[in-house]
Amino acid sequence: MELSTAEFVAAWALAAAAATAVFVHAGRKGVSHPTAWGAGVFLFLGIALPLYVIHYHRRKRAARR
């Protein structure tokens, strides 16, 4: 299976947009290591994005207690 140039650019743009959104969100919400979260999401989108969401919600839930 080969990716066309357009498919590669689209996947790269999606990963970059998700990484930027995670970086900005983590920075605004005070999540530790926003750069690492952003880079992780860019490199491993399918794994790191769900992990970030779980991490954020657990942190938010723990802060309420």
PDB file of all heavy atoms in Angstrom, residues 5-46:
ATOM      1  N   THR A   5       0.961  11.575  -2.627  1.00  0.00           N
ATOM      2  CA  THR A   5       1.459  12.805  -2.006  1.00  0.00           C
ATOM      3  C   THR A   5       0.325  13.531  -1.287  1.00  0.00           C
ATOM      4  O   THR A   5       0.506  14.028  -0.172  1.00  0.00           O
ATOM      5  CB  THR A   5       2.100  13.722  -3.066  1.00  0.00           C
ATOM      6  OG1 THR A   5       3.155  13.005  -3.704  1.00  0.00           O
ATOM      7  CG2 THR A   5       2.638  14.986  -2.442  1.00  0.00           C
ATOM      8  N   ALA A   6      -0.827  13.583  -1.884  1.00  0.00           N
ATOM      9  CA  ALA A   6      -1.963  14.275  -1.272  1.00  0.00           C
ATOM     10  C   ALA A   6      -2.395  13.590   0.025  1.00  0.00           C
ATOM     11  O   ALA A   6      -2.720  14.260   1.015  1.00  0.00           O
ATOM     12  CB  ALA A   6      -3.129  14.325  -2.256  1.00  0.00           C
ATOM     13  N   GLU A   7      -2.402  12.264   0.038  1.00  0.00           N
ATOM     14  CA  GLU A   7      -2.770  11.528   1.245  1.00  0.00           C
ATOM     15  C   GLU A   7      -1.750  11.756   2.358  1.00  0.00           C
ATOM     16  O   GLU A   7      -2.120  11.926   3.521  1.00  0.00           O
ATOM     17  CB  GLU A   7      -2.887  10.038   0.958  1.00  0.00           C
ATOM     18  CG  GLU A   7      -4.055   9.681   0.070  1.00  0.00           C
ATOM     19  CD  GLU A   7      -4.007   8.242  -0.398  1.00  0.00           C
ATOM     20  OE1 GLU A   7      -2.903   7.666  -0.497  1.00  0.00           O
ATOM     21  OE2 GLU A   7      -5.095   7.696  -0.684  1.00  0.00           O
ATOM     22  N   PHE A   8      -0.474  11.770   1.998  1.00  0.00           N
ATOM     23  CA  PHE A   8       0.578  12.012   2.982  1.00  0.00           C
ATOM     24  C   PHE A   8       0.452  13.412   3.569  1.00  0.00           C
ATOM     25  O   PHE A   8       0.531  13.595   4.792  1.00  0.00           O
ATOM     26  CB  PHE A   8       1.963  11.839   2.349  1.00  0.00           C
ATOM     27  CG  PHE A   8       3.079  12.176   3.294  1.00  0.00           C
ATOM     28  CD1 PHE A   8       3.447  11.278   4.280  1.00  0.00           C
ATOM     29  CD2 PHE A   8       3.736  13.387   3.206  1.00  0.00           C
ATOM     30  CE1 PHE A   8       4.467  11.590   5.167  1.00  0.00           C
ATOM     31  CE2 PHE A   8       4.748  13.708   4.082  1.00  0.00           C
ATOM     32  CZ  PHE A   8       5.120  12.804   5.065  1.00  0.00           C
ATOM     33  N   VAL A   9       0.233  14.402   2.732  1.00  0.00           N
ATOM     34  CA  VAL A   9       0.091  15.779   3.203  1.00  0.00           C
ATOM     35  C   VAL A   9      -1.143  15.918   4.090  1.00  0.00           C
ATOM     36  O   VAL A   9      -1.106  16.602   5.122  1.00  0.00           O
ATOM     37  CB  VAL A   9       0.065  16.774   2.021  1.00  0.00           C
ATOM     38  CG1 VAL A   9      -0.316  18.173   2.468  1.00  0.00           C
ATOM     39  CG2 VAL A   9       1.414  16.788   1.328  1.00  0.00           C
ATOM     40  N   ALA A  10      -2.218  15.267   3.732  1.00  0.00           N
ATOM     41  CA  ALA A  10      -3.434  15.322   4.544  1.00  0.00           C
ATOM     42  C   ALA A  10      -3.213  14.678   5.907  1.00  0.00           C
ATOM     43  O   ALA A  10      -3.630  15.227   6.935  1.00  0.00           O
ATOM     44  CB  ALA A  10      -4.589  14.639   3.809  1.00  0.00           C
ATOM     45  N   ALA A  11      -2.547  13.541   5.941  1.00  0.00           N
ATOM     46  CA  ALA A  11      -2.259  12.879   7.218  1.00  0.00           C
ATOM     47  C   ALA A  11      -1.322  13.721   8.068  1.00  0.00           C
ATOM     48  O   ALA A  11      -1.508  13.854   9.283  1.00  0.00           O
ATOM     49  CB  ALA A  11      -1.646  11.501   6.964  1.00  0.00           C
ATOM     50  N   TRP A  12      -0.323  14.305   7.448  1.00  0.00           N
ATOM     51  CA  TRP A  12       0.619  15.166   8.155  1.00  0.00           C
ATOM     52  C   TRP A  12      -0.091  16.394   8.720  1.00  0.00           C
ATOM     53  O   TRP A  12       0.141  16.783   9.861  1.00  0.00           O
ATOM     54  CB  TRP A  12       1.742  15.585   7.201  1.00  0.00           C
ATOM     55  CG  TRP A  12       2.827  16.358   7.863  1.00  0.00           C
ATOM     56  CD1 TRP A  12       3.903  15.870   8.513  1.00  0.00           C
ATOM     57  CD2 TRP A  12       2.925  17.783   7.941  1.00  0.00           C
ATOM     58  NE1 TRP A  12       4.665  16.901   8.983  1.00  0.00           N
ATOM     59  CE2 TRP A  12       4.091  18.083   8.652  1.00  0.00           C
ATOM     60  CE3 TRP A  12       2.125  18.825   7.467  1.00  0.00           C
ATOM     61  CZ2 TRP A  12       4.484  19.391   8.909  1.00  0.00           C
ATOM     62  CZ3 TRP A  12       2.523  20.129   7.731  1.00  0.00           C
ATOM     63  CH2 TRP A  12       3.681  20.396   8.437  1.00  0.00           C
ATOM     64  N   ALA A  13      -0.970  17.001   7.924  1.00  0.00           N
ATOM     65  CA  ALA A  13      -1.712  18.180   8.374  1.00  0.00           C
ATOM     66  C   ALA A  13      -2.651  17.832   9.528  1.00  0.00           C
ATOM     67  O   ALA A  13      -2.782  18.608  10.486  1.00  0.00           O
ATOM     68  CB  ALA A  13      -2.499  18.787   7.212  1.00  0.00           C
ATOM     69  N   LEU A  14      -3.300  16.689   9.471  1.00  0.00           N
ATOM     70  CA  LEU A  14      -4.188  16.253  10.548  1.00  0.00           C
ATOM     71  C   LEU A  14      -3.403  16.048  11.841  1.00  0.00           C
ATOM     72  O   LEU A  14      -3.814  16.512  12.908  1.00  0.00           O
ATOM     73  CB  LEU A  14      -4.908  14.967  10.160  1.00  0.00           C
ATOM     74  CG  LEU A  14      -5.807  14.354  11.231  1.00  0.00           C
ATOM     75  CD1 LEU A  14      -6.992  15.270  11.499  1.00  0.00           C
ATOM     76  CD2 LEU A  14      -6.258  12.981  10.802  1.00  0.00           C
ATOM     77  N   ALA A  15      -2.259  15.376  11.741  1.00  0.00           N
ATOM     78  CA  ALA A  15      -1.427  15.144  12.923  1.00  0.00           C
ATOM     79  C   ALA A  15      -0.894  16.464  13.480  1.00  0.00           C
ATOM     80  O   ALA A  15      -0.861  16.661  14.699  1.00  0.00           O
ATOM     81  CB  ALA A  15      -0.279  14.202  12.581  1.00  0.00           C
ATOM     82  N   ALA A  16      -0.494  17.366  12.614  1.00  0.00           N
ATOM     83  CA  ALA A  16       0.021  18.663  13.059  1.00  0.00           C
ATOM     84  C   ALA A  16      -1.075  19.481  13.733  1.00  0.00           C
ATOM     85  O   ALA A  16      -0.832  20.131  14.764  1.00  0.00           O
ATOM     86  CB  ALA A  16       0.609  19.428  11.884  1.00  0.00           C
ATOM     87  N   ALA A  17      -2.276  19.461  13.189  1.00  0.00           N
ATOM     88  CA  ALA A  17      -3.387  20.209  13.787  1.00  0.00           C
ATOM     89  C   ALA A  17      -3.761  19.632  15.151  1.00  0.00           C
ATOM     90  O   ALA A  17      -3.988  20.380  16.112  1.00  0.00           O
ATOM     91  CB  ALA A  17      -4.596  20.183  12.851  1.00  0.00           C
ATOM     92  N   ALA A  18      -3.804  18.320  15.253  1.00  0.00           N
ATOM     93  CA  ALA A  18      -4.123  17.689  16.536  1.00  0.00           C
ATOM     94  C   ALA A  18      -3.037  17.975  17.561  1.00  0.00           C
ATOM     95  O   ALA A  18      -3.335  18.278  18.725  1.00  0.00           O
ATOM     96  CB  ALA A  18      -4.290  16.178  16.351  1.00  0.00           C
ATOM     97  N   ALA A  19      -1.777  17.923  17.156  1.00  0.00           N
ATOM     98  CA  ALA A  19      -0.664  18.190  18.070  1.00  0.00           C
ATOM     99  C   ALA A  19      -0.695  19.630  18.547  1.00  0.00           C
ATOM    100  O   ALA A  19      -0.482  19.910  19.733  1.00  0.00           O
ATOM    101  CB  ALA A  19       0.659  17.889  17.382  1.00  0.00           C
ATOM    102  N   THR A  20      -0.987  20.552  17.656  1.00  0.00           N
ATOM    103  CA  THR A  20      -1.072  21.960  18.030  1.00  0.00           C
ATOM    104  C   THR A  20      -2.222  22.192  19.000  1.00  0.00           C
ATOM    105  O   THR A  20      -2.071  22.915  19.990  1.00  0.00           O
ATOM    106  CB  THR A  20      -1.244  22.835  16.773  1.00  0.00           C
ATOM    107  OG1 THR A  20      -0.136  22.600  15.900  1.00  0.00           O
ATOM    108  CG2 THR A  20      -1.313  24.301  17.123  1.00  0.00           C
ATOM    109  N   ALA A  21      -3.354  21.566  18.734  1.00  0.00           N
ATOM    110  CA  ALA A  21      -4.506  21.713  19.625  1.00  0.00           C
ATOM    111  C   ALA A  21      -4.200  21.156  21.017  1.00  0.00           C
ATOM    112  O   ALA A  21      -4.545  21.785  22.029  1.00  0.00           O
ATOM    113  CB  ALA A  21      -5.717  21.011  19.028  1.00  0.00           C
ATOM    114  N   VAL A  22      -3.551  20.018  21.084  1.00  0.00           N
ATOM    115  CA  VAL A  22      -3.195  19.426  22.377  1.00  0.00           C
ATOM    116  C   VAL A  22      -2.198  20.315  23.106  1.00  0.00           C
ATOM    117  O   VAL A  22      -2.329  20.559  24.302  1.00  0.00           O
ATOM    118  CB  VAL A  22      -2.648  17.994  22.206  1.00  0.00           C
ATOM    119  CG1 VAL A  22      -1.964  17.498  23.466  1.00  0.00           C
ATOM    120  CG2 VAL A  22      -3.779  17.061  21.813  1.00  0.00           C
ATOM    121  N   PHE A  23      -1.195  20.819  22.392  1.00  0.00           N
ATOM    122  CA  PHE A  23      -0.195  21.695  22.999  1.00  0.00           C
ATOM    123  C   PHE A  23      -0.840  22.948  23.587  1.00  0.00           C
ATOM    124  O   PHE A  23      -0.573  23.322  24.726  1.00  0.00           O
ATOM    125  CB  PHE A  23       0.867  22.078  21.965  1.00  0.00           C
ATOM    126  CG  PHE A  23       1.824  23.114  22.461  1.00  0.00           C
ATOM    127  CD1 PHE A  23       2.829  22.773  23.353  1.00  0.00           C
ATOM    128  CD2 PHE A  23       1.725  24.425  22.039  1.00  0.00           C
ATOM    129  CE1 PHE A  23       3.716  23.736  23.820  1.00  0.00           C
ATOM    130  CE2 PHE A  23       2.594  25.386  22.485  1.00  0.00           C
ATOM    131  CZ  PHE A  23       3.601  25.047  23.383  1.00  0.00           C
ATOM    132  N   VAL A  24      -1.702  23.588  22.825  1.00  0.00           N
ATOM    133  CA  VAL A  24      -2.368  24.808  23.292  1.00  0.00           C
ATOM    134  C   VAL A  24      -3.283  24.491  24.469  1.00  0.00           C
ATOM    135  O   VAL A  24      -3.290  25.205  25.483  1.00  0.00           O
ATOM    136  CB  VAL A  24      -3.145  25.476  22.135  1.00  0.00           C
ATOM    137  CG1 VAL A  24      -4.038  26.594  22.642  1.00  0.00           C
ATOM    138  CG2 VAL A  24      -2.173  26.000  21.090  1.00  0.00           C
ATOM    139  N   HIS A  25      -4.051  23.428  24.378  1.00  0.00           N
ATOM    140  CA  HIS A  25      -4.962  23.050  25.457  1.00  0.00           C
ATOM    141  C   HIS A  25      -4.196  22.737  26.733  1.00  0.00           C
ATOM    142  O   HIS A  25      -4.557  23.203  27.815  1.00  0.00           O
ATOM    143  CB  HIS A  25      -5.799  21.840  25.032  1.00  0.00           C
ATOM    144  CG  HIS A  25      -6.783  21.408  26.057  1.00  0.00           C
ATOM    145  ND1 HIS A  25      -6.501  20.432  26.991  1.00  0.00           N
ATOM    146  CD2 HIS A  25      -8.045  21.828  26.318  1.00  0.00           C
ATOM    147  CE1 HIS A  25      -7.546  20.273  27.767  1.00  0.00           C
ATOM    148  NE2 HIS A  25      -8.501  21.100  27.379  1.00  0.00           N
ATOM    149  N   ALA A  26      -3.143  21.949  26.613  1.00  0.00           N
ATOM    150  CA  ALA A  26      -2.348  21.581  27.786  1.00  0.00           C
ATOM    151  C   ALA A  26      -1.705  22.815  28.419  1.00  0.00           C
ATOM    152  O   ALA A  26      -1.646  22.929  29.649  1.00  0.00           O
ATOM    153  CB  ALA A  26      -1.275  20.559  27.403  1.00  0.00           C
ATOM    154  N   GLY A  27      -1.233  23.714  27.603  1.00  0.00           N
ATOM    155  CA  GLY A  27      -0.628  24.938  28.124  1.00  0.00           C
ATOM    156  C   GLY A  27      -1.624  25.807  28.861  1.00  0.00           C
ATOM    157  O   GLY A  27      -1.326  26.346  29.930  1.00  0.00           O
ATOM    158  N   ARG A  28      -2.816  25.936  28.321  1.00  0.00           N
ATOM    159  CA  ARG A  28      -3.842  26.773  28.960  1.00  0.00           C
ATOM    160  C   ARG A  28      -4.406  26.145  30.229  1.00  0.00           C
ATOM    161  O   ARG A  28      -4.779  26.854  31.163  1.00  0.00           O
ATOM    162  CB  ARG A  28      -4.985  27.038  27.988  1.00  0.00           C
ATOM    163  CG  ARG A  28      -4.624  27.999  26.907  1.00  0.00           C
ATOM    164  CD  ARG A  28      -5.814  28.325  26.048  1.00  0.00           C
ATOM    165  NE  ARG A  28      -5.415  29.264  25.003  1.00  0.00           N
ATOM    166  CZ  ARG A  28      -6.129  29.508  23.944  1.00  0.00           C
ATOM    167  NH1 ARG A  28      -7.276  28.884  23.751  1.00  0.00           N
ATOM    168  NH2 ARG A  28      -5.696  30.363  23.044  1.00  0.00           N
ATOM    169  N   LYS A  29      -4.503  24.838  30.257  1.00  0.00           N
ATOM    170  CA  LYS A  29      -5.102  24.154  31.392  1.00  0.00           C
ATOM    171  C   LYS A  29      -4.083  23.761  32.454  1.00  0.00           C
ATOM    172  O   LYS A  29      -4.444  23.172  33.470  1.00  0.00           O
ATOM    173  CB  LYS A  29      -5.849  22.894  30.932  1.00  0.00           C
ATOM    174  CG  LYS A  29      -6.970  23.181  29.958  1.00  0.00           C
ATOM    175  CD  LYS A  29      -8.057  24.021  30.601  1.00  0.00           C
ATOM    176  CE  LYS A  29      -9.186  24.257  29.626  1.00  0.00           C
ATOM    177  NZ  LYS A  29     -10.273  25.009  30.203  1.00  0.00           N
ATOM    178  N   GLY A  30      -2.808  24.054  32.234  1.00  0.00           N
ATOM    179  CA  GLY A  30      -1.789  23.775  33.228  1.00  0.00           C
ATOM    180  C   GLY A  30      -1.366  22.320  33.320  1.00  0.00           C
ATOM    181  O   GLY A  30      -0.840  21.890  34.341  1.00  0.00           O
ATOM    182  N   VAL A  31      -1.571  21.568  32.260  1.00  0.00           N
ATOM    183  CA  VAL A  31      -1.135  20.175  32.231  1.00  0.00           C
ATOM    184  C   VAL A  31       0.383  20.172  32.092  1.00  0.00           C
ATOM    185  O   VAL A  31       0.949  20.929  31.301  1.00  0.00           O
ATOM    186  CB  VAL A  31      -1.796  19.418  31.054  1.00  0.00           C
ATOM    187  CG1 VAL A  31      -1.284  18.000  30.956  1.00  0.00           C
ATOM    188  CG2 VAL A  31      -3.305  19.438  31.203  1.00  0.00           C
ATOM    189  N   SER A  32       1.043  19.328  32.870  1.00  0.00           N
ATOM    190  CA  SER A  32       2.501  19.305  32.820  1.00  0.00           C
ATOM    191  C   SER A  32       3.003  18.769  31.481  1.00  0.00           C
ATOM    192  O   SER A  32       2.380  17.892  30.879  1.00  0.00           O
ATOM    193  CB  SER A  32       3.057  18.450  33.956  1.00  0.00           C
ATOM    194  OG  SER A  32       2.591  17.126  33.859  1.00  0.00           O
ATOM    195  N   HIS A  33       4.098  19.316  31.018  1.00  0.00           N
ATOM    196  CA  HIS A  33       4.793  18.908  29.793  1.00  0.00           C
ATOM    197  C   HIS A  33       3.941  19.032  28.529  1.00  0.00           C
ATOM    198  O   HIS A  33       3.778  18.055  27.784  1.00  0.00           O
ATOM    199  CB  HIS A  33       5.326  17.488  29.913  1.00  0.00           C
ATOM    200  CG  HIS A  33       6.102  17.244  31.165  1.00  0.00           C
ATOM    201  ND1 HIS A  33       7.298  17.857  31.427  1.00  0.00           N
ATOM    202  CD2 HIS A  33       5.840  16.475  32.240  1.00  0.00           C
ATOM    203  CE1 HIS A  33       7.743  17.475  32.599  1.00  0.00           C
ATOM    204  NE2 HIS A  33       6.867  16.634  33.123  1.00  0.00           N
ATOM    205  N   PRO A  34       3.422  20.221  28.239  1.00  0.00           N
ATOM    206  CA  PRO A  34       2.595  20.364  27.029  1.00  0.00           C
ATOM    207  C   PRO A  34       3.368  20.081  25.744  1.00  0.00           C
ATOM    208  O   PRO A  34       2.792  19.544  24.790  1.00  0.00           O
ATOM    209  CB  PRO A  34       2.119  21.810  27.076  1.00  0.00           C
ATOM    210  CG  PRO A  34       3.019  22.507  28.015  1.00  0.00           C
ATOM    211  CD  PRO A  34       3.520  21.481  28.975  1.00  0.00           C
ATOM    212  N   THR A  35       4.656  20.393  25.718  1.00  0.00           N
ATOM    213  CA  THR A  35       5.444  20.124  24.513  1.00  0.00           C
ATOM    214  C   THR A  35       5.556  18.627  24.262  1.00  0.00           C
ATOM    215  O   THR A  35       5.440  18.160  23.118  1.00  0.00           O
ATOM    216  CB  THR A  35       6.849  20.741  24.639  1.00  0.00           C
ATOM    217  OG1 THR A  35       6.706  22.137  24.906  1.00  0.00           O
ATOM    218  CG2 THR A  35       7.656  20.547  23.368  1.00  0.00           C
ATOM    219  N   ALA A  36       5.772  17.869  25.319  1.00  0.00           N
ATOM    220  CA  ALA A  36       5.869  16.417  25.172  1.00  0.00           C
ATOM    221  C   ALA A  36       4.540  15.821  24.721  1.00  0.00           C
ATOM    222  O   ALA A  36       4.513  14.915  23.876  1.00  0.00           O
ATOM    223  CB  ALA A  36       6.305  15.776  26.489  1.00  0.00           C
ATOM    224  N   TRP A  37       3.438  16.311  25.266  1.00  0.00           N
ATOM    225  CA  TRP A  37       2.138  15.818  24.834  1.00  0.00           C
ATOM    226  C   TRP A  37       1.907  16.140  23.354  1.00  0.00           C
ATOM    227  O   TRP A  37       1.425  15.300  22.589  1.00  0.00           O
ATOM    228  CB  TRP A  37       1.017  16.406  25.683  1.00  0.00           C
ATOM    229  CG  TRP A  37       0.853  15.722  26.991  1.00  0.00           C
ATOM    230  CD1 TRP A  37       1.124  16.231  28.228  1.00  0.00           C
ATOM    231  CD2 TRP A  37       0.381  14.378  27.211  1.00  0.00           C
ATOM    232  NE1 TRP A  37       0.855  15.289  29.181  1.00  0.00           N
ATOM    233  CE2 TRP A  37       0.391  14.147  28.599  1.00  0.00           C
ATOM    234  CE3 TRP A  37      -0.049  13.356  26.369  1.00  0.00           C
ATOM    235  CZ2 TRP A  37      -0.012  12.941  29.161  1.00  0.00           C
ATOM    236  CZ3 TRP A  37      -0.449  12.154  26.932  1.00  0.00           C
ATOM    237  CH2 TRP A  37      -0.423  11.958  28.305  1.00  0.00           C
ATOM    238  N   GLY A  38       2.242  17.366  22.955  1.00  0.00           N
ATOM    239  CA  GLY A  38       2.063  17.754  21.559  1.00  0.00           C
ATOM    240  C   GLY A  38       2.912  16.918  20.616  1.00  0.00           C
ATOM    241  O   GLY A  38       2.437  16.448  19.581  1.00  0.00           O
ATOM    242  N   ALA A  39       4.169  16.726  20.965  1.00  0.00           N
ATOM    243  CA  ALA A  39       5.056  15.912  20.123  1.00  0.00           C
ATOM    244  C   ALA A  39       4.581  14.464  20.075  1.00  0.00           C
ATOM    245  O   ALA A  39       4.618  13.822  19.018  1.00  0.00           O
ATOM    246  CB  ALA A  39       6.484  15.974  20.646  1.00  0.00           C
ATOM    247  N   GLY A  40       4.135  13.948  21.198  1.00  0.00           N
ATOM    248  CA  GLY A  40       3.633  12.573  21.233  1.00  0.00           C
ATOM    249  C   GLY A  40       2.409  12.398  20.355  1.00  0.00           C
ATOM    250  O   GLY A  40       2.284  11.399  19.644  1.00  0.00           O
ATOM    251  N   VAL A  41       1.523  13.385  20.400  1.00  0.00           N
ATOM    252  CA  VAL A  41       0.322  13.312  19.559  1.00  0.00           C
ATOM    253  C   VAL A  41       0.707  13.391  18.082  1.00  0.00           C
ATOM    254  O   VAL A  41       0.142  12.681  17.252  1.00  0.00           O
ATOM    255  CB  VAL A  41      -0.684  14.420  19.945  1.00  0.00           C
ATOM    256  CG1 VAL A  41      -1.770  14.566  18.901  1.00  0.00           C
ATOM    257  CG2 VAL A  41      -1.300  14.119  21.300  1.00  0.00           C
ATOM    258  N   PHE A  42       1.673  14.238  17.742  1.00  0.00           N
ATOM    259  CA  PHE A  42       2.095  14.331  16.343  1.00  0.00           C
ATOM    260  C   PHE A  42       2.686  13.011  15.858  1.00  0.00           C
ATOM    261  O   PHE A  42       2.380  12.545  14.765  1.00  0.00           O
ATOM    262  CB  PHE A  42       3.114  15.455  16.155  1.00  0.00           C
ATOM    263  CG  PHE A  42       3.564  15.601  14.735  1.00  0.00           C
ATOM    264  CD1 PHE A  42       2.738  16.199  13.796  1.00  0.00           C
ATOM    265  CD2 PHE A  42       4.796  15.140  14.327  1.00  0.00           C
ATOM    266  CE1 PHE A  42       3.133  16.331  12.471  1.00  0.00           C
ATOM    267  CE2 PHE A  42       5.209  15.257  13.004  1.00  0.00           C
ATOM    268  CZ  PHE A  42       4.373  15.860  12.083  1.00  0.00           C
ATOM    269  N   LEU A  43       3.528  12.397  16.673  1.00  0.00           N
ATOM    270  CA  LEU A  43       4.214  11.184  16.248  1.00  0.00           C
ATOM    271  C   LEU A  43       3.357   9.923  16.346  1.00  0.00           C
ATOM    272  O   LEU A  43       3.492   9.010  15.538  1.00  0.00           O
ATOM    273  CB  LEU A  43       5.497  10.997  17.064  1.00  0.00           C
ATOM    274  CG  LEU A  43       6.566  12.063  16.851  1.00  0.00           C
ATOM    275  CD1 LEU A  43       7.689  11.878  17.854  1.00  0.00           C
ATOM    276  CD2 LEU A  43       7.079  12.033  15.437  1.00  0.00           C
ATOM    277  N   PHE A  44       2.494   9.869  17.364  1.00  0.00           N
ATOM    278  CA  PHE A  44       1.694   8.663  17.633  1.00  0.00           C
ATOM    279  C   PHE A  44       0.237   9.055  17.865  1.00  0.00           C
ATOM    280  O   PHE A  44      -0.312   8.841  18.944  1.00  0.00           O
ATOM    281  CB  PHE A  44       2.245   7.925  18.855  1.00  0.00           C
ATOM    282  CG  PHE A  44       3.707   7.632  18.775  1.00  0.00           C
ATOM    283  CD1 PHE A  44       4.627   8.349  19.512  1.00  0.00           C
ATOM    284  CD2 PHE A  44       4.175   6.629  17.936  1.00  0.00           C
ATOM    285  CE1 PHE A  44       5.980   8.087  19.438  1.00  0.00           C
ATOM    286  CE2 PHE A  44       5.526   6.350  17.849  1.00  0.00           C
ATOM    287  CZ  PHE A  44       6.441   7.083  18.600  1.00  0.00           C
ATOM    288  N   LEU A  45      -0.382   9.639  16.882  1.00  0.00           N
ATOM    289  CA  LEU A  45      -1.724  10.214  17.008  1.00  0.00           C
ATOM    290  C   LEU A  45      -2.729   9.234  17.590  1.00  0.00           C
ATOM    291  O   LEU A  45      -3.448   9.567  18.529  1.00  0.00           O
ATOM    292  CB  LEU A  45      -2.201  10.718  15.645  1.00  0.00           C
ATOM    293  CG  LEU A  45      -3.583  11.357  15.593  1.00  0.00           C
ATOM    294  CD1 LEU A  45      -3.597  12.628  16.412  1.00  0.00           C
ATOM    295  CD2 LEU A  45      -3.973  11.655  14.167  1.00  0.00           C
ATOM    296  N   GLY A  46      -2.786   8.023  17.071  1.00  0.00           N
ATOM    297  CA  GLY A  46      -3.792   7.045  17.485  1.00  0.00           C
ATOM    298  C   GLY A  46      -3.635   6.560  18.914  1.00  0.00           C
ATOM    299  O   GLY A  46      -4.591   6.078  19.517  1.00  0.00           O
TER     300      GLY A  46
END
